[in-house]
Amino acid sequence: MSQFKYELKRNKKLLGELHHFPHGVMAVGRLDEDSEGLLLITTDGKLSDHICSSKVEKEYYVQVDGIINDEAIAKLRQGVLIGFDGSKYLTKECKAVAIEPPPNIGQRGKKIRDERHGPTSWVSITIKEGKFRQVRKMTAAVGFPTLRLLRVRIGSITLDEMTAGDVCEVLDFGL
């Protein structure tokens, strides 16, 4: 799990248990245990708050159940009602576009399903907010549940420019 502390019962290892990090290190935003992709780590709380704010774009590649259509894409762009914190929340406008052909990102470690269960498609969704499981709830709200979720960009930092374990110095987040 992409957190260093977790108070509830868990069966998964935390990020801090997988590698020895210096005191004060924190993950910038989270990826839930079923998500993959870019995760930034910092010791700068101000930078973390800025990146998690609505000032910085976060882009996700999402594999959905079924062939996503233009109507669903338009709804995602305009904002959709999702459940959040016990009530309904209208997501902010975002960027959404179908990805064809599917992105070349390799196989997921944990198999989702195969083509026998019907077609799937990919969409790029770029948001500036980050409610709990927001992207998954958004695709479900337009009738295309998420099967695989991969964060590919935070601000100007992209996953395709990095490999696992890469370290980069971030100076371009406008602070």
Side-chain angles (χ1 to χ4, degrees):
M1 293 179 62
S2 62
Q3 348 180 175
F4 286 83
K5 293 181 181 178
Y6 188 72
E7 303 302 324
L8 302 175
K9 184 180 175 182
R10 61 179 164 75
N11 293 327
K12 304 286 182 183
K13 288 194 177 213
L14 298 177
L15 187 58
E17 295 171 337
L18 299 176
H19 181 77
H20 178 68
F21 290 97
H23 179 71
V25 169
M26 65 191 89
V28 179
R30 295 186 199 171
L31 289 172
D32 63 39
E33 66 181 278
D34 295 325
S35 299
E36 309 164 70
L38 182 62
L39 179 67
L40 302 180
I41 299 173
T42 186
T43 57
D44 186 337
K46 186 176 177 183
L47 176 66
S48 178
D49 287 345
H50 177 75
I51 293 170
C52 290
S53 76
S54 61
K55 297 175 184 167
V56 177
E57 289 185 335
K58 296 87 177 170
E59 182 178 5
Y60 299 84
Y61 285 175
V62 189
Q63 184 180 23
V64 296
D65 188 8
I67 304 299
I68 197 157
N69 56 43
D70 292 339
E71 180 183 351
I73 296 283
K75 287 178 183 178
L76 289 169
R77 288 179 184 152
Q78 295 167 0
V80 295
L81 278 176
I82 62 172
F84 177 70
D85 208 17
S87 60
K88 292 290 184 180
Y89 174 79
L90 179 63
T91 61
K92 295 179 181 173
E93 290 183 7
C94 71
K95 297 175 187 174
V97 61
I99 303 173
E100 187 60 45
N104 184 17
I105 57 174
Q107 293 294 319
R108 183 167 186 245
K110 180 180 171 186
K111 190 168 181 158
I112 299 167
R113 64 170 204 181
D114 58 39
E115 292 297 318
R116 295 180 303 183
H117 298 97
T120 66
S121 57
W122 286 85
V123 60
S124 166
I125 299 176
T126 303
I127 60 175
K128 285 190 171 182
E129 55 186 338
K131 304 296 184 199
F132 179 72
R133 298 178 69 88
Q134 178 177 338
V135 173
R136 292 177 184 282
K137 291 176 182 180
M138 289 172 66
T139 63
V142 298
F144 294 89
T146 295
L147 299 173
R148 186 175 180 190
L149 181 66
L150 179 79
R151 184 164 49 205
V152 296
R153 181 172 64 86
I154 299 173
S156 63
I157 300 173
T158 61
L159 189 60
D160 63 349
E161 297 171 352
M162 303 182 79
T163 58
D166 276 359
V167 175
C168 67
E169 190 168 332
V170 178
L171 301 172
D172 63 346
F173 279 105
L175 289 178

